[in-house]
Amino acid sequence: METKEMNLEGYAHSEGVEVKVSAARVNITILLYLFFFVVGAVVLFNYIWGDGSSYGAGYELGNIARLQALSVKGAIIMALCCLVYTLLQYGLLYWFTGKDCQALRWNTDWKSWGFLVIKPLPLRYYRMTLLAPFVLIGLLPFIHGLCTGNDVCFFIGVFCIVGSGADCYYFWKLRSFNGDDKIVDGDESLSATIIKNSY
């Protein structure tokens, strides 16, 4: 019992700044972002690789929804994207915490799911973890699909960019803190305590 309390004291930090992102604000922002980004991206894809007409843009949007998002193949692609997204973030957090499994905990709540850091981690590494899936499995496949006309890569890129919206918003929320400050995630997703390196 005493050892367990000592371990918890090592991770508990009463000093620090609490950061909490409103789930309603994130959801509204992501829905607006989703609408404008997806429609804009499909119109751009159609302009480059389609016939450029408004009918063609609507057809491409319907094609992506019908053949990609609502098919078995699309469901498998989206499930694999979620799995790769989670494993990529876990791998980076595991590496940045010094390969300490005890420093991470799985969290599932109504806002999101993923791994939370319970050991103080420098904010610069946490920021890299937030943005890595957006860049590696979102932005790069999106650009590849747009440049080559590959609609599957384009769909993966669009799906992962939209899926990383909450992490990008959280990254933006943490922008005012120094990279040397340390972060410990809260009990739920999109909440944390920032332990300032110097006051």
Side-chain angles (χ1 to χ4, degrees):
M1 180 75 170
E2 194 173 314
T3 310
K4 186 177 180 183
E5 286 177 4
M6 287 175 61
N7 287 341
L8 288 175
E9 284 175 13
Y11 289 147
H13 296 279
S14 57
E15 75 281 358
V17 179
E18 187 176 350
V19 177
K20 196 168 193 173
V21 175
S22 165
R25 181 180 297 244
V26 169
N27 289 335
I28 290 169
T29 304
I30 289 175
L31 283 174
L32 288 172
Y33 163 72
L34 171 82
F35 177 75
F36 289 111
F37 174 73
V38 170
V39 170
V42 169
V43 168
L44 181 62
F45 186 83
N46 180 62
Y47 179 75
I48 295 171
W49 297 103
D51 59 8
S53 68
S54 58
Y55 171 79
Y59 175 78
E60 286 296 325
L61 184 60
N63 188 36
I64 283 181
R66 188 179 71 254
L67 296 180
Q68 300 291 347
L70 301 178
S71 67
V72 174
K73 177 184 172 185
I76 291 170
I77 288 172
M78 290 187 289
L80 287 174
C81 286
C82 291
L83 179 66
V84 170
Y85 194 101
T86 305
L87 289 176
L88 180 60
Q89 282 196 330
Y90 173 77
L92 289 171
L93 287 173
Y94 177 74
W95 181 268
F96 290 144
T97 56
K99 300 179 182 175
D100 182 9
C101 290
Q102 303 300 318
L104 303 174
R105 132 180 111 74
W106 176 256
N107 177 59
T108 304
D109 57 29
W110 64 278
K111 289 190 233 177
S112 76
W113 70 83
F115 289 92
L116 300 179
V117 178
I118 58 174
K119 176 182 171 182
L121 179 71
L123 197 53
R124 65 178 169 271
Y125 298 133
Y126 193 80
R127 287 177 177 148
M128 282 193 274
T129 303
L130 288 175
L131 285 187
F134 167 76
V135 173
L136 296 178
I137 62 173
L139 195 59
L140 292 179
F142 174 77
I143 292 170
H144 175 73
L146 197 60
C147 292
T148 61
N150 185 332
D151 60 342
V152 174
C153 276
F154 180 75
F155 173 71
I156 290 170
V158 168
F159 178 75
C160 290
I161 286 173
V162 170
S164 65
D167 285 344
C168 292
Y169 187 86
Y170 198 39
F171 175 86
W172 179 255
K173 183 80 171 175
L174 297 172
R175 73 190 181 284
S176 61
F177 297 101
N178 191 336
D180 293 327
D181 295 340
K182 296 192 185 291
I183 187 169
V184 178
D185 281 317
D187 293 332
E188 56 186 32
S189 56
L190 303 178
S191 68
T193 301
I194 306 295
I195 304 156
K196 289 194 170 275
N197 207 18
S198 59
Y199 284 93

